[in-house]
């Protein structure tokens, strides 16, 4: 129930981030809904497709569709008030990527993949909804250009395997990895830490 | 045989819409073919991937590939005459999305999905070939910005479930849903009805 | 072992082509890695998804991930020296697409697809990593606009089926198709042969 609440809050935060980008592009109502939807479920969908876990998750669990429909309606109605929720949204988003990373890692373990592949799946689950959102909106994905975001997921994913080596209950490794993702992201934003860009002399 | 004819006419209309966008971007012959192909089979391919229906449809039915190859050759040869077919193409496209919507709904039912998910799959089957076409051509998908198109598919998809509740032969529900999609699209174009754009004060 | 070496050299060449495009876009280190990764494994991943061969290849073979990580680190460190490797990279890339075409054809045969579909899968394996790279970097895919590239794969793929009709050992058909792809590409580059663009009077 606790994890389910986080999952839904994360879905809402992701959907709203999609709504905001779609509104900047002046899309119509259908376009806004699709971008919100892809942002919210895109990462998990890509993961499910890559491991062959079909029909993909959201097709089997109606709760996501209804959550996203509700979120989009709310966001459109209160579109000029969304800025007041910015801090909450950032928090939901950050807790969300922590949970999604660990969910992705566990889905990888369930099909017997190597740890490094599980970490890749976890990172993808948490961060590729935003990548698909940006592609659909004709932008270079923002997580390829700025901010520690996927990096937090990668480190949290490896943290999960580390914590599992410790003599602690598995539940703690689970929660520990989520907290690790959250901490790294919060610290990076607080101290404006970003990955370096790479370019070369032409 | 009747449905098969509609399917092929729809494939031709979709492929030509791909050819037209690709020519506007001054792509080479291979690029034109790929865009035509993705436009024609992209929606059904995405649907098949999401529900795990693999190898996806067009890999098992050579008729689509040959239809599209023929259409591309025809379109390139008569590229300066295509404007005279505009009305026919619009009609084939509109009948096509009606059929594809219902096909998508039935594929969803076949794997036991909830009605709302079947409608999503139907809409995707009918409209995401154009989305992929626009992404490959580096444009924001046109169906996110203007025209009633996906909306007609969504309403037609729900219509299918409604008609199935009536005491009529299933075949009639099938045809009724197709006619519903077609009617909505024709009315929307005739009366220039579009979904509202959503944006906000910055 | 011989084919494995070609496979790894091809992976390196593909990854570096991704690094170069990503650096031109001034992406950060994570972005550069993802673009390199998608360029190197994207074609095979798409093929595996379309035929339902999941978990997709790179999830089951860690060697590709480690090769790409190493290549990205090397390319970033020596980013101002990469131009000296240009000829080797072109060669690895060309040999790579030859091999990937034939691998793709054989994966198609393994699931019982028609020859024309196998050729499509082979071409996709060899050339769609670059398509995904360009989409992620917000460019119209370069192989839709210039150079004989996919065309070499298509002809090589059909060549494989032709050679298999001859009274020769199957291994020779395999190698012959690879050499055919390589020869066509080298000749096209040498004599600056490109497919014609298609556009029309507006």
């Amino acid at each position: 129930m606790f994890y389910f609440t986080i999952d839904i809050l994360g879905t809402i935060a992701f959907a709203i981030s999609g709504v905001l980008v779609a509104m900047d592009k002046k899309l119509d109502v259908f376009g806004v809904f699709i971008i919100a939807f892809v942002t919210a479920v895109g990462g998990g969908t890509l993961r499910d497709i890559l491991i062959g876990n079909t029909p993909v998750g959201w097709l089997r669990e109606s709760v996501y569709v209804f959550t996203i429909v509700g979120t989009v309606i709310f966001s459109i109605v209160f579109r000029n008030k969304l800025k007041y929720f910015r801090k909450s949204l950032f928090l939901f988003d950050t807790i969300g990527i922590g949970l999604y990373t660990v969910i992705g890692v566990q889905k990888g373990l369930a099909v017997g993949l190597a740890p490094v592949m599980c970490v890749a799946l976890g990172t993808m689950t948490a961060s590729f909804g935003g990548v698909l959102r940006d592609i659909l909106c004709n932008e270079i994905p923002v997580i390829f250009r700025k901010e520690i975001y996927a990096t937090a997921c990668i480190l949290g994913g490896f943290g999960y395997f580390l914590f599992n080596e410790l003599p602690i209950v598995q539940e703690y490794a689970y929660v520990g990895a989520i907290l690790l993702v959250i901490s790294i992201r919060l610290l990076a934003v607080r101290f404006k830490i970003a990955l370096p860009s790479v370019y070369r002399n032409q």
Side-chain angles (χ1 to χ4, degrees), chain A:
Chain A
M1 190 58 209
F2 173 66
Y3 293 122
F4 180 71
T5 310
I6 296 183
D7 191 2
I8 293 302
L9 289 180
T11 301
I12 292 172
F14 277 35
I16 293 182
S17 105
V19 169
L20 293 174
V21 175
M23 288 201 293
D24 282 351
K25 296 282 174 178
K26 301 193 169 23
L27 300 188
D28 67 20
V29 172
F30 175 73
V32 169
F33 173 72
I34 293 294
I35 302 295
F37 193 80
V38 167
T39 311
V41 307
T45 300
L46 186 58
R47 176 204 64 217
D48 284 348
I49 290 172
L50 290 175
I51 60 178
N53 184 17
T54 53
V56 299
W58 62 267
L59 281 173
R60 286 172 296 171
E61 295 281 356
S62 301
V63 65
Y64 297 104
V65 172
F66 293 122
T67 301
I68 296 166
V69 168
T71 302
V72 169
I73 293 172
F74 175 89
S75 305
I76 289 177
V77 172
F78 295 103
R79 64 184 175 279
N80 293 317
K81 302 268 161 33
L82 286 178
K83 52 179 175 255
Y84 304 118
F85 299 101
R86 210 164 43 186
K87 281 209 174 147
S88 311
L89 287 175
F90 172 77
L91 210 67
F92 294 169
D93 183 287
T94 301
I95 301 172
I97 63 169
L99 180 66
Y100 299 147
T101 301
V102 179
I103 289 176
V105 168
Q106 293 195 317
K107 297 258 182 187
L109 285 172
V111 289
L113 298 178
V116 65
M117 300 306 169
C118 296
V119 173
L121 286 179
T123 305
M124 204 178 276
T125 308
S127 66
F128 269 61
V131 170
L132 293 172
R133 171 198 66 207
D134 293 344
I135 292 173
L136 284 171
C137 288
N138 205 13
E139 298 281 347
I140 294 180
V142 66
I143 68 159
F144 296 170
R145 288 178 290 143
K146 28 182 178 182
E147 283 188 41
I148 297 291
Y149 191 97
T151 314
C153 304
I154 294 171
L155 296 175
F158 282 114
Y160 179 80
F161 287 98
L162 263 179
F163 298 154
N164 260 318
E165 295 299 305
L166 302 178
I168 55 174
V169 191
Q170 219 221 319
E171 185 79 4
Y172 287 178
Y174 193 97
V175 174
I178 295 176
L179 291 177
L180 185 57
V181 175
I182 297 173
S183 315
I184 294 170
R185 174 135 165 82
L186 290 181
L187 287 171
V189 169
R190 175 72 187 76
F191 295 104
K192 296 190 200 307
I193 301 167
L195 291 180
S197 282
V198 191
Y199 35 99
R200 60 193 176 121
N201 309 327
Q202 296 285 340

